[in-house]
Amino acid sequence: MSRGTSLSGLDVDVSIGQTDITADKITLDIEDNSKAAKSRGVSSGWLKGSIGAKGSIELNTENFNRLGDEAERAGSWRDLPPFDFMMYAKTNLTLKVEAFGCQLKITNLLDIDGKEGGDGMVHKLDYEVCGRDFIKINGTPVLNQDDIKHLTRGD
């Protein structure tokens, strides 16, 4: 970890399950469908809506193959079990984002630019957050206990 004054992509360590990887790019988007309640067309409170999260991860071939070793142990890429995904960065600032029960899907197996040649091959995988614990940011859950109290663990 570097000791800069703010965080950049170079400060982020990523682990997928038990495998540490270096990602070229990572996204994680939360879709919260909560909205204002309306009574006769006027806002009159707040309604909790459905919530979900998904993202993508772009890897070079070395790190893609590292993940491929996990797929081989599982029997196939589609048999990879859901994984917990952690991104951790620290300089004089700290950010730790955990996403639980993420299911991977290969979306762009190859991205090759033969004209330029200077860029390495890229492999993109999308994922959806499916775990009951959803997402934690610096240890604080996005969902409260009432949101998840009746959900099964799926273990």
Side-chain angles (χ1 to χ4, degrees), residues 78-139:
R78 290 189 75 183
D79 287 333
L80 274 169
F83 64 90
D84 295 338
F85 184 40
M86 182 185 66
M87 294 167 288
Y88 180 76
K90 183 172 183 172
T91 60
N92 61 323
L93 298 173
T94 300
L95 178 65
K96 180 179 179 183
V97 176
E98 299 166 282
F100 298 94
C102 298
Q103 189 65 54
L104 279 175
K105 298 185 289 184
I106 298 174
T107 50
N108 294 41
L109 180 56
L110 297 173
D111 186 350
I112 303 167
D113 185 349
K115 289 186 253 175
E116 294 297 319
D119 294 332
M121 197 179 306
V122 175
H123 313 276
K124 182 178 176 184
L125 299 103
D126 287 346
Y127 63 93
E128 289 193 50
V129 180
C130 303
R132 178 181 186 267
D133 293 327
F134 195 53
I135 294 172
K136 291 183 181 179
I137 304 166
N138 292 328

Side-chain angles (χ1 to χ4, degrees), residues 26-39:
I26 304 167
T27 64
L28 175 57
D29 301 312
I30 296 175
E31 183 178 334
D32 186 341
N33 292 306
S34 298
K35 61 183 179 179
K38 302 243 181 190
S39 238

Side-chain angles (χ1 to χ4, degrees), residues 35-51:
K35 61 183 179 179
K38 302 243 181 190
S39 238
R40 298 178 60 185
V42 178
S43 294
S44 60
W46 187 253
L47 299 170
K48 278 189 176 180
S50 62
I51 192 166

Side-chain angles (χ1 to χ4, degrees), residues 1-8 11 89-95:
M1 298 286 155
S2 64
R3 293 285 168 198
T5 57
S6 59
L7 296 174
S8 78
D11 299 311
K90 183 172 183 172
T91 60
N92 61 323
L93 298 173
T94 300
L95 178 65

